[in-house]
Amino acid sequence: MKAVIVVALLSVLVFPFSVSAANQSSTETSVKVFLDGKQLSFDSPPMIVNGSTLVPMRAIFGALGAEVTWNNKTQSVSAKREGLDISLRIGEKKAVKNGIAIPLATPSVIIRNSTYVPLRFVSEALGALVGWNKGSSSISISSAPYRKVVVDRTVDGDTIELNDGEKVRLIGVNTPESVQSGPIEFYGVEASNYTKAQLTGKTVYITSENKDTYGRTLGYVFLTDGTFYNALLASEGYATVMTIEPNTKWSPYFEYVQSQAKKKSVGIWNNKKEQASADMQKYFIEKSKEFGFKEGEFSSGQFITRDFVARMIVTSMFPKTKYVFAANTLIDVSQQDWFQYYVGVLLQEGVIKISDLNSGMFEPDRPITYGEYKKMISNALFGTENTDLKLADFNLLQENISDSQLMTMGEALIATEKASNVFVPLSKYFASLKEAAANSKALEALTQKINDVDINSKVSSLKKEFNKLNFESIQQKSSDIFQDFLELLKKGSWKDIITISKIKALISDIESDLVDASEHLKEAKAASNLN
């Protein structure tokens, strides 16, 4: 009995990692492994142990052309391939490659009679590019030769330029357009910004296939930690799979990560972000036609250009200008002449200003930011009016949105529709204020004819209340002035009586103008509600 106990204790002390593996926090997952585009199958699947991804050594190394042998006596495993001799002992946090020690992040273990090693060890031991894709819980292994390069800039979400001027088009995936040579597509700018953040100025590895008709290198891009960037774009919903012969070896993997992105509704697959309700979509389509959009030209989630925003504003607020947008199809004029005429209309109606043209703000084919939209719609609504009113007073735009954020067609359409509803009553508000200002100027001139310092002072004070639209104070001050006028009449002439009568009529008109202005302003603030 003692002998059995001693043997059992020795087995625990000598081979602790083969026995205790079952006690570790391990998770058997549906991790899929793709080697050079082909999915590998395993008797023992990859596992997550204590947060680390472990893979079966024999299956992976064997697929990469190495001969793997097990030494039961020393509890060690070795792998040999031309020019490579690798060995490791179970439970140790190191391996030996051609006589040089390689540290392991996690010790190798035996689980279900199979030797498991950290995922990163595959790359360090065999020189392959090994990456973990979190979004799809998958592993990519590329055994192709690669070169180390530095990315200078991002051309688009799927195209980069290296620091030597070489342009690289990522194979197998396609991000939405975000450059100005064509329409800005839904999620194009997000994809471009993502690639900028991930790759610009960074060192990456590239495996090249060939060149396209534009002279760009067609390649697969990997981050320095082995992450397969082409696949990352698809798994995060920034790109869709695009298979073009003969560069198709990784297509099965791209299709798989894309299917996982669809299931999770991420990025371009997030219909909630691009799709509104059926009623709202119908509204978008109907209103887009009113603003001069052609069939298929409008997509609510697509970013909108400055030209389209200007078109929306002038046709909604200044209906007489609609003929301008038909001019280039109804009459025989050059595109340049038509565009100059079109810009002239925008300048005339105050939608843009000369300073905008000089500063380059009105570049028609560039997507518009919220800040630029605010400036354009403010020009149209307020013009040259001296007013303290702001766009925020009319609830035209969502709050807490950065001025640098790009605006979508749907957002611009709704904001412009609101602004159009606000425009007429707001114009009446400004007209009433101008009437009040004109009458106020006439009132001041009349009071100068009455040589009474106290009355002149009170009329000047009354004018200040007009500017504040303080109606209760206006009524009180008007009453005080009339009492003063009555006192004057007792000792004045018939000439003074006529002047005072005119003053009384002017004050009454001013009060009426200001009441109208107040009502028009209330109407303008309520008009932005589209419900």
Side-chain angles (χ1 to χ4, degrees):
M1 184 67 176
K2 274 187 176 181
V4 174
I5 294 174
V6 170
V7 171
L9 287 172
L10 284 173
S11 66
V12 171
L13 292 172
V14 176
F15 308 124
F17 285 89
S18 61
V19 175
S20 64
N23 297 323
Q24 298 188 58
S25 176
S26 63
T27 305
E28 190 170 325
T29 68
S30 57
V31 174
K32 297 185 184 297
V33 180
F34 289 79
L35 170 61
D36 293 331
K38 296 180 179 179
Q39 185 177 346
L40 300 181
S41 58
F42 305 97
D43 293 331
S44 301
M47 302 187 75
I48 308 281
V49 177
N50 294 333
S52 297
T53 303
L54 302 181
V55 295
M57 181 173 173
R58 182 180 294 278
I60 299 287
F61 277 58
L64 286 166
E67 183 180 347
V68 181
T69 57
W70 166 255
N71 187 317
N72 191 56
K73 182 177 180 180
T74 59
Q75 290 287 289
S76 63
V77 62
S78 62
K80 297 182 185 293
R81 198 175 71 178
E82 185 177 354
L84 284 177
D85 189 344
I86 301 163
S87 63
L88 59 83
R89 182 181 173 87
I90 301 301
E92 292 186 353
K93 295 187 68 173
K94 70 174 183 177
V96 178
K97 176 183 176 181
N98 292 343
I100 300 174
I102 300 175
L104 301 179
T106 302
S108 57
V109 295
I110 294 177
I111 303 175
R112 297 176 184 172
N113 297 320
S114 293
T115 301
Y116 278 75
V117 295
L119 174 63
R120 192 63 46 217
F121 175 61
V122 179
S123 172
E124 295 166 337
L126 299 177
L129 291 170
V130 181
W132 168 252
N133 187 286
K134 183 179 180 180
S136 61
S137 295
S138 62
I139 296 167
S140 62
I141 303 173
S142 173
S143 65
Y146 58 87
R147 55 195 173 105
K148 189 176 181 180
V149 299
V150 176
V151 178
D152 179 60
R153 71 183 185 95
T154 296
V155 179
D156 205 355
D158 52 26
T159 306
I160 57 176
E161 185 174 317
L162 308 183
N163 59 355
D164 62 358
E166 178 186 5
K167 288 186 178 179
V168 179
R169 172 61 165 86
L170 277 63
I171 304 174
V173 293
N174 184 52
T175 61
E177 291 299 323
S178 69
V179 295
Q180 310 315 317
S181 57
I184 308 299
E185 296 178 337
F186 174 67
Y187 230 65
V189 173
E190 287 89 340
S192 180
N193 289 340
Y194 184 74
T195 296
K196 284 178 184 176
Q198 294 290 325
L199 301 186
T200 302
K202 305 290 179 62
T203 297
V204 298
Y205 302 125
I206 290 180
T207 65
S208 306
E209 292 291 328
N210 41 45
K211 291 187 178 292
D212 64 11
T213 55
Y214 302 103
R216 301 176 300 184
T217 298
L218 298 175
Y220 302 107
V221 175
F222 300 82
L223 306 185
T224 52
D225 66 357
T227 299
F228 193 175
Y229 191 71
N230 303 50
L232 183 63
L233 283 174
S235 70
E236 295 297 313
Y238 290 106
T240 56
V241 176
M242 184 176 71
T243 302
I244 300 177
E245 296 288 350
N247 306 311
T248 60
K249 73 175 184 180
W250 280 101
S251 295
Y253 182 47
F254 296 155
E255 291 285 357
Y256 172 70
V257 297
Q258 177 177 270
S259 69
Q260 301 306 299
K262 285 182 178 180
K263 287 180 180 178
K264 296 178 180 179
S265 297
V266 298
I268 57 180
W269 309 112
N270 184 353
N271 293 329
K272 292 180 181 178
K273 184 169 184 178
E274 185 184 20
Q275 299 290 336
S277 66
D279 288 342
M280 184 60 77
Q281 282 295 335
K282 184 178 179 181
Y283 165 80
F284 279 144
I285 293 171
E286 291 176 352
K287 296 306 297 185
S288 67
K289 291 178 181 177
E290 290 182 23
F291 289 133
F293 288 93
K294 299 175 184 177
E295 188 71 28
E297 196 175 40
F298 183 89
S299 172
S300 61
Q302 180 176 317
F303 292 111
I304 190 167
T305 63
R306 297 165 186 179
D307 171 47
F308 276 142
V309 167
R311 186 188 304 184
M312 279 185 178
I313 293 173
V314 293
T315 55
S316 62
M317 298 185 187
F318 313 101
K320 65 182 181 180
T321 62
K322 287 186 178 180
Y323 71 91
V324 175
F325 302 104
N328 62 331
T329 57
L330 296 178
I331 60 176
D332 186 18
V333 294
S334 69
Q335 186 69 18
Q336 182 177 358
D337 289 343
W338 175 81
F339 183 73
Q340 289 176 350
Y341 184 59
Y342 162 49
V343 170
V345 172
L346 298 181
L347 289 169
Q348 179 181 330
E349 301 298 350
V351 177
I352 61 173
K353 298 179 180 179
I354 290 292
S355 58
D356 298 331
L357 297 177
N358 294 337
S359 67
M361 196 280 274
F362 187 65
E363 296 177 38
D365 294 330
R366 291 181 62 81
I368 195 168
T369 64
Y370 266 82
E372 291 162 346
Y373 178 85
K374 288 177 183 177
K375 183 175 182 181
M376 199 177 285
I377 204 70
S378 293
N379 288 345
L381 284 176
F382 305 135
T384 58
E385 301 291 347
N386 183 18
T387 179
D388 293 330
L389 293 173
K390 302 179 290 295
L391 289 180
D393 296 326
F394 302 97
N395 192 32
L396 298 181
L397 299 164
Q398 298 179 50
E399 297 181 359
N400 303 321
I401 295 182
S402 169
D403 282 352
S404 62
Q405 182 172 320
L406 293 175
M407 202 171 196
T408 66
M409 283 188 164
E411 291 164 344
L413 188 148
I414 291 174
T416 305
E417 174 75 354
K418 287 182 176 182
S420 176
N421 292 343
V422 166
F423 181 67
V424 172
L426 187 63
S427 297
K428 292 179 179 179
Y429 162 76
F430 287 128
S432 295
L433 286 186
K434 287 177 181 177
E435 285 290 327
N439 287 329
S440 178
K441 188 174 181 181
L443 173 65
E444 190 171 26
L446 275 177
T447 55
Q448 294 298 323
K449 295 180 179 181
I450 300 176
N451 190 19
D452 189 290
V453 175
D454 187 43
I455 288 180
N456 287 336
S457 174
K458 287 183 178 180
V459 169
S460 178
S461 176
L462 181 63
K463 282 186 61 181
K464 293 180 181 179
E465 300 304 320
F466 290 156
N467 296 333
K468 298 177 184 176
L469 297 182
N470 190 338
F471 296 108
E472 289 185 7
S473 180
I474 289 171
Q475 290 174 347
Q476 182 59 51
K477 289 181 182 294
S478 298
S479 177
D480 291 344
I481 291 172
F482 282 125
Q483 290 300 319
D484 290 343
F485 285 152
L486 290 175
E487 290 298 322
L488 268 179
L489 285 175
K490 295 177 181 179
K491 51 186 176 180
S493 65
W494 285 104
K495 184 179 178 182
D496 290 332
I497 294 174
I498 295 172
T499 301
I500 291 171
S501 177
K502 290 180 180 179
I503 289 174
K504 180 180 179 181
L506 281 173
I507 290 179
S508 177
D509 288 344
I510 291 171
E511 288 181 335
S512 178
D513 292 334
L514 295 180
V515 168
D516 288 343
S518 177
E519 291 301 315
H520 292 320
L521 185 58
K522 289 178 182 177
E523 185 183 351
K525 290 183 176 181
S528 63
N529 188 352
L530 296 182
N531 293 332

